[in-house]
Amino acid sequence: MNAKAESTRGYSRRDVLKLSGAMAAWGAVGGIELGSGTAAAAFTKNQRDNWTPDEILAAMKKGNERFRQGKLAPQDFLAQQRATAGAQYPDAVLLSCIDSRAPAEIILDLGIGDIFNCRVAGAVDNPDILGSIEYGCKVAGAKVVLVMGHTNCGAVKGAIDGEELGNLTGLLAKIKPAIAATTYVGDRTTKNPAFVNAVCRRNVELVVDGIPKRSPVLAEMAAAHTIRIAGALYHLDTGTVEFL
Ligand SMILES: [Zn+2]
C-alpha cells in the first residue's frame, strides 16, 4: 500500500475503515479514490456520524503525531474544496487562540471541511463563540468541542501583566480567573515561563468547565454523551498537542 492510499482526509486509513464498515463502499463515497492513490476528499455525513467523540480525539492525536514526525497525510485541497462546496460535515469544533504559531488544521493534520474553528486570543468563550459552538454541534452535528490553548500565550501573559488596551482589556479580564486559580509556588510573573504555562493550562481547564455552565444546549448534549468537551495544550517548543 503506498503512502497516499494509507491515509485519507488526515486520518489513518485504518481508522476510516473501522468506521466506514465495508471495504467495498470505498469506491462510492465522498469522492474518495483510494484505489488510484489519490488523496481523499471529504467524508460523507454518514461517515462522520459513525465516529464516536473518543475516536475523533484519537484521530486528532494521530494527526499531531504525523505533524511532529514531518509525515503529514497527503492533502488534496482542491478535491476537498470541490467535495465540500455543497455541504460540510465537520466532526469537531475547535476553540483555539489566534496565535500565528498554533494553526489547528496544520498541527493536527486536518483538511478542508474537517473542523469548525473558532479562534480568539486566549481561546476564551463569549456568547458569540458559544453560539458558534452550539451551531457546530447541535445544528451541524459535530461531536467534539476541543478547547486548545498553547504555551507562551501572549494573551495569558497580557492578563498576568494587567495590560489594558481598548477592547483587549475586556478580553484579558476573561483570562484573569485562571491566574487566581493557578496554584504555583514561586515567581508568579511573566518572567517565569513555568508559571505562564501553568496559567495557560488552567485557562483551558476553566473554559472547558465553563462551556456547559454557560451553554445549556451544550450541557445537555454532553450529559447525553452526544458530544465531548475536551481540552488540549499545544506546546510551541515541541509541536506536541497535549490532550488534557
Ligand atoms: Zn495565544
Side-chain angles (χ1 to χ4, degrees), residues 132-179:
S132 299
I133 299 173
E134 289 169 358
Y135 171 79
C137 294
K138 190 71 176 181
V139 180
K143 295 181 174 182
V144 165
V145 178
L146 184 66
V147 179
M148 186 172 71
H150 66 94
T151 57
N152 197 23
C153 179
V156 168
K157 290 196 285 190
I160 295 171
D161 285 339
E163 290 179 4
E164 295 187 355
L165 173 68
N167 290 283
L168 183 59
T169 303
L171 192 160
L172 298 185
K174 292 176 174 291
I175 300 173
K176 289 185 176 175
I179 303 170

Side-chain angles (χ1 to χ4, degrees), residues 2-13 34 39-40 66 73-74:
N2 66 36
K4 288 184 177 179
E6 183 65 35
S7 63
T8 65
R9 196 176 165 248
Y11 300 131
S12 81
R13 187 179 177 210
L34 287 178
R66 292 194 299 275

